[in-house]
Amino acid sequence: MAACHEINEDPKLYQKSNKILLMGNPNVGKSVFFSNLTGIRVVSSNYAGTTVSYTEGTMKLGNETYTLIDVPGTYSLEATSKAEEVAVRFINSNPAAIICVLDATNLERNIKLGLDIQRYNIPVVYALNMVDVAKRRGYDINLRLLARELGAPVIPTIAVKNEGIDKLTEELQKILNSSKTTCGNCASCPGCAKLGMNTWDRAREIAARVRIKTEGKPSFLDRLGNSMLKPWPGIPIALLTIIVSLGVIIGAGKFLQEYILGPLVGDVLVPFFKMIISYIVSEGILHNVLIGEYGIFTIGLEWIIESILPFVFLFYVVFSFLEDSGILPRLSVLFDSIMRKMGVQGGSMITILLGYGCAVPAIIGSRTATTKKERLMISAIVCFAVPCISQTGALISLFAGFSPILLVLMFLLSFAVMMIVSSVLSRIIKGKVDPMIIEIPNLLMPNGKAYAKKLMLRMKNFFLDAEVPMLISIVIAALLKETGLLEKIAVYLEPIVSGWLGLPRSAVIALILGIIRREMAVAPLLEIEGLTALQAFVGGTVALLYLPCLSVFGILSKEFNTKTALAISLATTLNALLVGGLINQLAHLFM
Amino acid sequence: MKMKNPVQGVKSLYYAKDNQKYIIADTPDIGVLKSLGIVKNAIVFKKMTHKLGGPVLLMVESSQIAIGKDIAEKILVRG
């Protein structure tokens, strides 16, 4: 399989030969080109500048093998942002050629980028993407004239429908085989003749000349995309989108759990492993660690496959769709005023929503925040009040035995904590938060291939990043239980667990395992017989607000520093025990 | 060039009327604004202002851009 990995800083890459750069504005469909040209997995996003890191892949052209680099989306090469700095560094690292994707619906800005690239004298081929959208908006583009102005071939494409990509590779091969650079003859080249002009003015002038007005016909999606930006009917549509998304995740997740994965685990997998292991391993600690009460093959399969996997999978199905279709940036516009009152800005909403999947990508994603204060606020909000999807899955399973009202209350509680935490933090953290500036991409049906690849990559990451610590925590649980250590620790923690929180003594294991994985602060509660609704709710509250898992601690220390990671961990833990205990004590006072 | 009063007719984008074309007179020095084509002399179409301190919605060519209140207040337009 071809190599594909995300790299942050890799000096080796600058020395690599046969590099082809894939460049263009954010949201222009670059990632779709990338996944089509390289045929390997790639994460593509529809909102401005999510990835400061870049992706590379192998691309075959004739007999030659090239490395295609998906350069972070840039509007210009003026190094006004981190992404643009990275792009400039790439362009200066001796690439063989550039594929520059231009947005046909935004000619001025894209021609400006083309003119910026022209100055570097590197062979380039332009893909004029979204020509269909431009046509619907009422204009055609004179391709020959544009190609002459840019001094390089311009191929019309519709990436989401895979149209024009073959032609693009053909042209690419041609320019790679001809030794001439794009701008050899300055006398006849219109580019050089007007170099004295301001690039913006020139871009505007070229755009005006190549654009041909026609009869526009906005599609249903165009009209829907526009109405989703107005409070009416935007806000009702947004709320409906959120409710439908939750409904799909929870409803379909429960269906998978009850009718497919549950029977698979309970009737097939567990009995199968029990039979085999009983056959090989004789009774004893190892036997119990493998298939005992907290055994890897009993509880491990149940927790991972039955309780958590269906919800993780469906979360990414829904989130990737919202992302690629361009719905998320519309939500940020609508909710900007609320986010502003929380001390952040609308654009951060996307990052926080990502946290409902997993806190780790959300904390990495907070890099797009323009100030340190905003980054810190987003990360803290995610750690304090946003349950990850694995944990939500475990909570859904926990409350299934009681009432769905508990789940609603839990979400309301998490919003309340979010509001309080953000307003406190916005006062105590020094610095400022920059207001929102975002471009809203066209509303569109995601490209099936790119969408499927993104989903696959996300599931793969989940298995690699999450399942290993989960298995480790299950082994620890089994060992603690089987060696009797759990009972000893329980004695020390009893005043907190039983006295203050009112939970059964065996819930201690949840607090210990919750350090490793968030859902593990919930999952052991599923095993406790005779848990009351109040105990389930208190246990759920503590788990929800509890210290983020080990991976989150790791990413916090990496992205900020150990001090910040420790501070957040300590504060969340205290907050969890405080809120959980208060709920328990108050409930007892009134009930 | 004739210039009676350079300030004449210049107003803040945030408070300018909706559904109208404007020419950018001055913007704060922010890289992203420049990159998005919100530069001096660019023609923009202001679609709407979201209530309760929400953003301004602009069309620059055919791309839609949302700009938070605090920056939109500092962008000056003529038109």
Side-chain angles (χ1 to χ4, degrees), chain A residues 323-337:
Chain A
E323 198 173 48
D324 280 8
S325 59
I327 292 176
L328 289 181
R330 290 177 165 76
L331 296 186
S332 348
V333 171
L334 290 174
F335 293 109
D336 179 55
S337 56

Side-chain angles (χ1 to χ4, degrees), chain A residues 105-106 108 211 226 229 436 440, chain B residues 50 53 61-64 66 68:
Chain A
T105 65
N106 282 293
E108 287 176 15
R211 202 166 16 209
N226 282 338
L229 285 165
M436 172 167 81
I440 298 137
Chain B
H50 281 263
E61 246 192 299
S62 81
S63 71
Q64 305 204 55

Side-chain angles (χ1 to χ4, degrees), chain A residues 560-574:
Chain A
F560 299 97
N561 50 44
T562 318
K563 212 176 116 192
T564 310
L566 280 173
I568 290 182
S569 305
L570 192 69
T572 47
T573 308
L574 287 177

Side-chain angles (χ1 to χ4, degrees), chain A residues 449-461:
Chain A
K449 207 166 161 189
Y451 174 80
K453 277 180 183 160
K454 181 182 207 166
L455 195 61
M456 249 163 64
L457 183 67
R458 283 189 158 153
M459 287 312 289
K460 193 179 105 192
N461 284 345

Side-chain angles (χ1 to χ4, degrees), chain A residues 274-296:
Chain A
K274 268 193 174 163
M275 193 185 75
I276 292 196
I277 287 162
S278 317
Y279 190 70
I280 308 171
V281 186
S282 53
E283 298 268 325
I285 287 191
L286 183 65
H287 181 271
N288 288 344
V289 166
L290 290 173
I291 51 170
E293 198 189 337
Y294 280 91
I296 298 170

Side-chain angles (χ1 to χ4, degrees), chain A residues 89 98 160-161 167 252 279 282 309 318 329 347 350 415 431 454 497 512 524 558 570 577 579:
Chain A
R89 275 159 64 191
I98 296 174
V160 283
K161 293 181 189 152
K167 185 89 203 304
Y279 190 70
S282 53
L309 186 69
V318 170
I350 297 171
F415 286 130
K454 181 182 207 166
V497 175
I512 298 173
K558 202 174 137 216
L570 192 69
L577 296 176
V579 178

